[in-house]
Amino acid sequence: LLGKEEPLFIYALAEHQSKPDPMMAFRLHEYNVGLMKAYWREHRRKLPLICNVVFYHGKKPWNYSTSLFDCFEEPKLARELFA
């Protein structure tokens, strides 16, 4: 972010993912919360942005959503409650 003092974390996650994971978005959310928690403990200031990148190399096409909200039984309600 040009002209900003706040850091931008680019968190690249490279995993051996041999088949699609319906909960990948949730797993990324867990990792992000851990990074933000560690950052907050060390700096005590506003949280950084995190950009997730996953390299999938399975034989089957990726057929699951990458949205955290789609991990819930009620995605629309989850989106409303989170926002």
Side-chain angles (χ1 to χ4, degrees):
L1 297 172
L2 298 175
K4 298 280 186 177
E5 291 185 22
E6 295 84 20
L8 172 65
F9 287 99
I10 298 178
Y11 181 48
L13 172 64
E15 291 189 24
H16 172 67
Q17 195 68 32
S18 60
K19 54 186 167 182
D21 180 359
M23 295 302 283
M24 177 59 86
F26 178 66
R27 208 161 69 196
L28 291 175
H29 184 73
E30 287 182 303
Y31 298 151
N32 290 346
V33 169
L35 286 170
M36 289 185 280
K37 188 174 183 180
Y39 181 85
W40 172 251
R41 283 184 179 157
E42 185 175 338
H43 301 286
R44 297 290 180 187
R45 49 192 263 192
K46 293 196 180 216
L47 301 175
L49 296 172
I50 301 170
C51 176
N52 295 293
V53 179
V54 176
F55 298 98
Y56 170 68
H57 58 89
K59 293 179 181 179
K60 294 181 180 179
W62 188 269
N63 55 357
Y64 293 107
S65 174
T66 57
S67 170
L68 172 65
F69 301 111
D70 289 332
C71 293
F72 291 90
E73 284 292 327
E74 297 290 335
K76 185 178 176 186
L77 183 57
R79 188 179 300 275
E80 289 175 18
L81 290 174
F82 267 82

